[in-house]
């Protein structure tokens, strides 16, 4: 492996099946993931987790906290600070109820997997330490889906801080994948007084790492990542602070990135528009090049 690009062994067969019309794509599930940033001397660091090798999807790969939308959060009235639901609907390219659910998913997954909560008792505050037993019981109920995020906010009397998120990019899992996600990537800064922990049952390791260091690890083949993860890491490189990245998010293009697979002679060519580094040439019956 020349770099750390995640490439499942079953992909060539599935790509050829898609190309010859014998594979029907599954509908992608809406999801959200958050690049949580913290300032250090010289450059911000990003919180990443390593998915357990036993995971069916992207086992062993480094990723950010994230997961699927919970439709119980679609229309429930939520105490909300920051840009309106209508603003988020326009920004994300969906209707208002879907926008609320996507933003809720981003905040919920950050809490579930990193123990960090982008919410507070008032529109201009954020909760402090969330590591106590009562907080942990609520977090476990969220993970088990015994409690919706909207219900959790109500129970705690909390306001969701949508103003602490910046929408960064949107990627859709390739059509030949058996598990597909339509994922919005967000950036956020670690709130003062909170700290991360490995709260995810899906991860065996978490790290705070500079995007440049993570990218170098990927380039050396030491860190396994899916294309959107390494792509977003490279996009973070120009920013000297978390605030700079959040400010830049306002102007980011959210046109979905979707891999394309096509037949060219004796090869299947797999590519991600706008991201030439991920292009793969797959000989018929052979391994990718």
């Amino acid at each position: 492996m020349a770099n750390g690009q995640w490439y499942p062994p079953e992909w060539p067969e599935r790509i050829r099946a898609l190309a010859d019309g014998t594979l029907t794509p599954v509908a992608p599930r809406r999801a959200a993931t958050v690049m949580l940033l913290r300032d250090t001397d010289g450059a911000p660091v990003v919180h990443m987790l390593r998915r357990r090798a036993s995971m069916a999807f992207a086992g062993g790969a480094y990723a950010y906290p994230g997961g699927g939308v919970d439709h119980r959060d679609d229309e429930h009235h939520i105490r909300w600070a920051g840009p309106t639901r209508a603003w988020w609907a326009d920004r994300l390219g969906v209707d208002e109820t879907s926008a609320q659910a996507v933003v809720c998913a981003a905040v919920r997954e950050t809490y579930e997997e990193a123990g960090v909560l982008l919410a507070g008792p008032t529109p201009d505050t954020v909760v402090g330490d969330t590591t106590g037993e009562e907080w942990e019981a609520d977090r476990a109920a969220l993970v088990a889906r015994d409690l919706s995020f909207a219900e959790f906010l109500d129970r705690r009397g909390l306001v969701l801080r949508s103003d602490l998120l910046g929408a960064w990019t949107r990627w859709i899992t390739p059509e030949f994948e058996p598990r597909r996600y339509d994922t919005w990537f967000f950036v956020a800064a670690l709130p003062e007084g909170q700290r991360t922990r490995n709260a995810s049952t899906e991860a065996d390791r978490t790290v705070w790492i500079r995007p440049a260091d993570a990218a170098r690890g990927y380039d050396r083949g030491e860190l396994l990542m899916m294309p959107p993860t390494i792509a977003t890491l490279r996009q973070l490189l120009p920013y000297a602070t978390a605030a700079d990245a959040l400010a830049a998010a306002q102007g980011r293009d959210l046109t979905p990135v979707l891999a394309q697979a096509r037949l060219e002679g004796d090869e299947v060519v797999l590519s991600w528009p706008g991201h030439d580094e991920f292009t793969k040439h797959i000989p018929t019956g052979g391994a990718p090049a």
Side-chain angles (χ1 to χ4, degrees):
M1 180 171 60
N3 56 32
Q5 184 174 345
W6 178 68
Y7 194 90
E10 67 272 14
W11 268 16
E13 180 180 350
R14 295 187 64 86
I15 291 169
R16 285 189 286 270
L18 178 67
D20 63 24
T22 59
L23 185 148
T24 301
V26 300
R29 178 187 178 191
R30 285 178 172 167
T33 191
V34 177
M35 298 181 285
L36 189 64
L37 303 174
R38 175 169 60 85
D39 286 332
T40 64
D41 291 339
V45 289
V46 61
H47 182 72
M48 303 189 76
L49 53 85
R50 184 175 65 187
R51 295 174 60 82
R52 294 185 185 277
S54 59
M55 296 298 296
F57 183 78
Y62 280 79
Y64 313 113
V69 160
D70 184 344
H71 291 292
R72 294 177 295 177
D73 297 329
D74 280 2
E75 297 183 356
H76 189 105
H77 177 73
I78 293 173
R79 297 178 183 87
W80 187 279
T84 65
R85 293 163 179 79
W87 184 94
W88 277 108
D90 182 66
R91 181 74 180 112
L92 301 179
V94 297
D95 58 61
E96 288 189 33
T97 56
S98 297
Q100 174 173 295
V102 171
V103 172
C104 280
V107 178
R108 186 197 72 237
E109 289 289 335
T110 306
Y111 182 50
E112 286 185 10
E113 298 194 340
V116 170
L117 183 57
L118 304 177
T122 65
D124 57 355
T125 60
V126 181
V127 297
D129 186 10
T130 62
T131 58
E133 290 184 6
E134 291 185 1
W135 286 106
E136 182 58 25
D138 279 349
R139 193 196 65 79
L142 287 169
V143 172
R145 297 298 180 259
D146 294 334
L147 181 69
S148 75
F149 191 64
E151 292 167 340
F152 163 74
L153 293 175
D154 278 350
R155 175 185 296 182
R156 290 277 179 175
L158 295 175
V159 180
L160 184 148
R161 293 288 306 275
S162 81
D163 55 318
L164 300 182
L165 289 169
W168 191 263
T169 190
R170 179 182 178 186
W171 286 63
I172 301 177
T173 309
E175 292 182 331
F176 47 82
E177 264 291 317
R179 294 176 179 83
R180 301 189 63 216
Y181 299 92
D182 182 354
T183 304
W184 284 265
F185 286 68
F186 295 85
V187 290
L190 178 69
E192 186 175 352
Q194 294 193 38
R195 60 182 185 271
T196 57
R197 62 188 189 278
N198 184 5
S200 173
T201 59
E202 299 179 355
D204 61 12
R205 184 188 184 205
T206 61
V207 296
W208 281 102
I209 188 170
R210 291 187 178 186
D213 292 337
R216 280 192 289 270
Y218 169 90
D219 290 337
R220 292 192 296 261
E222 297 168 358
L223 302 183
L224 184 68
M225 298 180 200
M226 294 174 283
T229 307
I230 180 59
T232 48
L233 282 171
R234 297 200 200 284
Q235 290 161 359
L236 289 173
L237 295 180
Y239 304 104
T241 67
D244 290 344
L246 277 164
Q250 301 304 315
R252 297 275 309 169
D253 181 9
L254 296 186
T255 301
V257 179
L258 174 63
Q260 299 175 350
R262 65 186 186 276
L263 285 171
E264 288 188 3
D266 295 331
E267 292 183 327
V268 174
V269 179
L270 173 62
S271 62
W272 280 260
H275 299 272
D276 292 342
E277 72 167 297
F278 306 128
T279 300
K280 295 289 186 183
H281 295 263
I282 305 157
T284 301

